[in-house]
Amino acid sequence: MESTNNRRSFIQKSILSIATVLGSDVVFAKHLPKEVEILGEKAFIDLPEGKNKDLMLLNDRPWNVETPPHLLDDEVTPADKMFVRNNGNLPENIDASKWELVIDGESAKARKVFTLNDLKTKFKTYTYQLTLECAGNGRYGFSPQTSGNQWQDGAVSCAEWTGVRLRDVLESVGINADAVYIGYYGKDIHLSGDATKSPISRGVPMKKALEDETLLAWAMNGKDIPVMHGFPLRLVVGGWPASVSGKWLNRISIRNKVHDGEKMSGHSYRVPSYPIEAGGKIADADLKIIESMPVKSVITYPKSGAMLEEGRTLDLRGHAWAGDLEVKNMEISIDFGATWQKCELRKPKNRLAWQRWSTKVNFPKKGYYEIWAKATDANGIGQPMIIPAWNPGGYLNNSCHRIAVKIG
Ligand SMILES: Nc1nc2c(c(=O)[nH]1)N[C@H]1C(S)=C(S)[C@@H](COP(=O)(O)O)O[C@H]1N2
Ligand SMILES: [Mo]
């Protein structure tokens, strides 16, 4: 208590003596009750350059910014509305003309270095629309709260990525029969500034690495990848936790064991291999690495809080995705899950792209309603209506997205 009081009186004093915030006068500083802290500088932090102003800032060191669901309404997520999840600081002095990608590792037949130009000219180019969802999306829903960014519903994107197949590049180097995993390394900087440490270095098993849609991409939505999202080269692995899609990519190791890079162990991107009680403890050995993401959906129109005239039909829409699988059914409910109405559901543009869904809703009378959305994957597994299994990292909350609307 005492230290808080000291801090408060310090702030109070500094207001009265300086009476400015970011060079502006705190005009009514003398009226501020002693126990109240001014909101101050933190209210004036800008979003990263080029981002839509309605994105939500979770952290600026490192950048963590999420997209409110109604801003995910585009079929292909544009750069200005794409969530940002950085574990470290941005790389400095990026020079695409000198950028190199090293392929190495115990299970690589050789160590080879590729320039961006090598990648662009020596291999066939592919474009896929790929869903990238942070495994911690929805973390805010868990109770007790788990540490990490308290993402709500918007740490997901589905942009169009252009590049070469990781498979083609790895095969040109040569893969030994004992290969188990690939691990990526990027050029971003550890928050401590320590150049020997990597903020994050994750990977996927060979089977996922060698899929058609796993890309080494240099373009997003037909343009250079924005710096925030990995310029000039990014690994893009759709349907799995977005943390395996390494940004500012400069090395891939073909490993003869499960990759042991930063954030591959402990609670990072791992969940209990058997259910535990909320807040419970579990040994590291009983945590397993998250692979394909679970089925999920989002309502992108209207925005929660919409007011509609009585008697009007509402056009409702959103997206649904299911990790490595396709979504096979989409339903909505306006009566808290008592009954469900089937929606139209489009095929994905390609494997691992989200699917557009839409429907028309009529409301029986005026009043307050919630619209709940539920997707079911090709294996018949649907989204839970309430928060799924608690886990120490707060991952994989794929419960139904809901919005509130008022009629009349
Ligand atoms: N090099 C590097 N790659 C990274 C990260 C990072 O911090 N550094 N964050 C990962 C995580 S946890 C996520 S969710 C996605 C976020 O991608 P985005 O910021 O392009 O939306 O990038 C992944 N790739
Ligand atoms: Mo993430």
Side-chain angles (χ1 to χ4, degrees), residues 64-135:
N64 283 283
V65 181
E66 81 167 278
T67 317
H70 70 280
L71 288 187
L72 289 172
D73 197 37
D74 302 83
E75 313 248 326
V76 176
T77 312
D80 68 317
K81 295 177 189 158
M82 181 176 276
F83 82 99
V84 179
R85 198 293 182 241
N86 287 347
N87 289 266
N89 293 325
L90 292 170
E92 282 160 8
N93 310 318
I94 302 173
D95 183 349
S97 68
K98 297 206 177 86
W99 196 267
E100 287 181 342
L101 173 70
V102 176
I103 307 288
D104 64 3
E106 306 94 351
S107 300
K109 288 217 185 321
R111 179 185 184 275
K112 269 203 186 164
V113 181
F114 297 88
T115 62
L116 278 183
N117 199 46
D118 291 336
L119 295 177
K120 289 181 181 173
T121 55
K122 293 184 176 156
F123 301 92
K124 190 166 176 224
T125 300
Y126 297 86
T127 297
Y128 296 110
Q129 194 189 351
L130 298 165
T131 308
L132 297 185
E133 182 183 13
C134 179

Side-chain angles (χ1 to χ4, degrees), residues 133-366:
E133 182 183 13
C134 179
N137 194 24
R139 180 176 287 130
Y140 81 113
F142 286 107
S143 174
Q145 205 179 68
T146 60
S147 64
N149 290 293
Q150 296 300 303
W151 300 104
Q152 297 188 32
D153 307 294
V156 61
S157 69
C158 196
E160 257 177 12
W161 298 90
T162 299
V164 293
R165 284 183 174 152
L166 175 62
R167 182 177 69 217
D168 293 348
V169 176
L170 296 187
E171 283 175 352
S172 80
V173 173
I175 307 168
N176 287 334
D178 65 354
V180 171
Y181 232 83
I182 60 108
Y184 75 74
Y185 297 86
K187 261 203 164 167
D188 45 342
I189 301 163
H190 195 271
L191 289 176
S192 66
D194 184 342
T196 65
K197 286 189 182 161
S198 167
I200 186 167
S201 168
R202 306 200 64 242
V204 292
M206 289 313 292
K207 186 165 183 279
K208 183 69 181 170
L210 300 181
E211 273 183 358
D212 285 356
E213 299 82 4
T214 299
L215 295 181
L216 297 171
W218 56 78
M220 189 182 102
N221 299 341
K223 296 195 180 122
D224 283 350
I225 301 174
V227 170
M228 238 347 127
H229 299 289
F231 177 82
L233 189 67
R234 178 174 196 170
L235 176 64
V236 189
V237 186
W240 283 38
S243 55
V244 298
S245 291
K247 304 195 266 191
W248 313 289
L249 182 75
N250 68 345
R251 177 180 163 206
I252 286 192
S253 293
I254 311 176
R255 308 297 314 265
N256 63 4
K257 57 181 178 188
V258 174
H259 182 56
D260 51 3
E262 192 61 32
K263 307 221 165 167
M264 286 299 291
S265 60
H267 292 166
S268 296
Y269 307 102
R270 303 200 318 154
V271 289
S273 51
Y274 57 87
I276 61 167
E277 72 279 18
K281 290 216 170 356
I282 184 162
D284 266 12
D286 290 327
L287 295 172
K288 59 169 199 283
I289 299 171
I290 300 168
E291 300 200 327
S292 175
M293 292 293 285
V295 62
K296 199 160 177 180
S297 59
V298 68
I299 302 165
T300 60
Y301 184 87
K303 184 180 173 177
S304 190
M307 317 253 267
L308 295 157
E309 276 165 49
E310 198 177 351
R312 247 191 59 190
T313 299
L314 171 67
D315 285 307
L316 189 77
R317 61 177 181 265
H319 307 287
W321 60 96
D324 281 338
L325 299 174
E326 213 170 282
V327 177
K328 77 150 195 235
N329 197 25
M330 185 70 214
E331 295 158 291
I332 61 108
S333 175
I334 59 165
D335 53 14
F336 302 105
T339 62
W340 294 88
Q341 169 184 328
K342 200 174 161 71
C343 305
E344 272 172 47
L345 176 67
R346 270 200 239 147
K347 284 270 171 200
K349 178 139 186 223
N350 50 255
R351 200 178 153 253
L352 311 180
W354 65 18
Q355 292 165 245
R356 179 106 259 191
W357 62 265
S358 60
T359 196
K360 291 185 188 303
V361 195
N362 292 304
F363 298 88
K365 57 179 167 191
K366 70 175 190 179

